[in-house]
Amino acid sequence: MPANFIEIIINGGNHANFGSYGIQGNDKNATITPEQQWKETAINIIKFINSIQ
């Protein structure tokens, strides 16, 4: 990964919740709702966009 790589971890989320496409291999059970995961994802995208302007 490049030196300026940023990783954001959404605690309690998983791949299946993010994409709404069902359980994926090696996915852990989500402990937050898909809606909460989408909200946290959107918040972090907005923060990132605002940080590069």
Side-chain angles (χ1 to χ4, degrees), residues 5 19-20 25 28 37-38 45:
F5 169 75
S20 293
K28 305 272 190 229
Q37 186 169 337
W38 299 331
I45 290 170

Side-chain angles (χ1 to χ4, degrees), residues 2-52:
N4 63 347
F5 169 75
I6 299 170
E7 179 179 27
I8 304 293
I9 297 172
I10 299 176
N11 292 315
N14 66 12
H15 289 92
N17 266 4
F18 181 78
S20 293
Y21 42 68
I23 298 169
Q24 299 298 297
N26 299 321
D27 241 358
K28 305 272 190 229
N29 288 329
T31 58
I32 61 174
T33 65
E35 292 79 10
Q36 181 62 34
Q37 186 169 337
W38 299 331
K39 180 180 178 180
E40 290 187 40
T41 300
I43 288 168
N44 281 290
I45 290 170
I46 291 166
K47 284 180 184 179
F48 173 75
I49 291 169
N50 287 334
S51 76
I52 59 173

